[in-house]
Amino acid sequence: LYAISVLDDLKGDQEMEMFLGFPKEGYGFSMNPEFKLRAPKFKDCSFELNQPYQKITIQMQYPRKKK
């Protein structure tokens, strides 16, 4: 089993910017688990890699910006 996490590191500092425990930058996980107040569990993001090439679609989540 495999799982993928993705960070859109807008500042390029190789760290996830947080505010009060919530991400300030875009993020996503394989299998697109439902948003919760914690990182998803491995079992919620995992998938089998059973062919040489496999397309994985990850929906990026971005925090709301103040208007």
Side-chain angles (χ1 to χ4, degrees):
L1 293 176
Y2 294 86
I4 299 171
S5 63
V6 180
L7 169 64
D8 186 3
D9 187 9
L10 299 172
K11 291 176 83 177
D13 59 3
Q14 298 182 0
E15 293 184 15
M16 179 177 264
E17 299 294 320
M18 305 288 279
F19 178 74
L20 298 175
F22 294 96
K24 291 175 64 178
E25 298 175 298
Y27 63 92
F29 299 95
S30 51
M31 304 304 292
N32 302 305
E34 185 178 318
F35 175 78
K36 296 185 179 175
L37 296 177
R38 58 165 175 75
K41 295 182 179 181
F42 179 81
K43 69 177 185 153
D44 296 329
C45 300
S46 61
F47 60 93
E48 287 189 37
L49 186 60
N50 51 16
Q51 51 195 356
Y53 299 97
Q54 187 166 332
K55 182 177 180 178
I56 303 295
T57 302
I58 297 176
Q59 294 176 341
M60 296 296 290
Q61 304 294 319
Y62 286 88
R64 291 185 180 179
K65 299 203 182 225
K66 292 182 180 181
K67 294 182 179 180

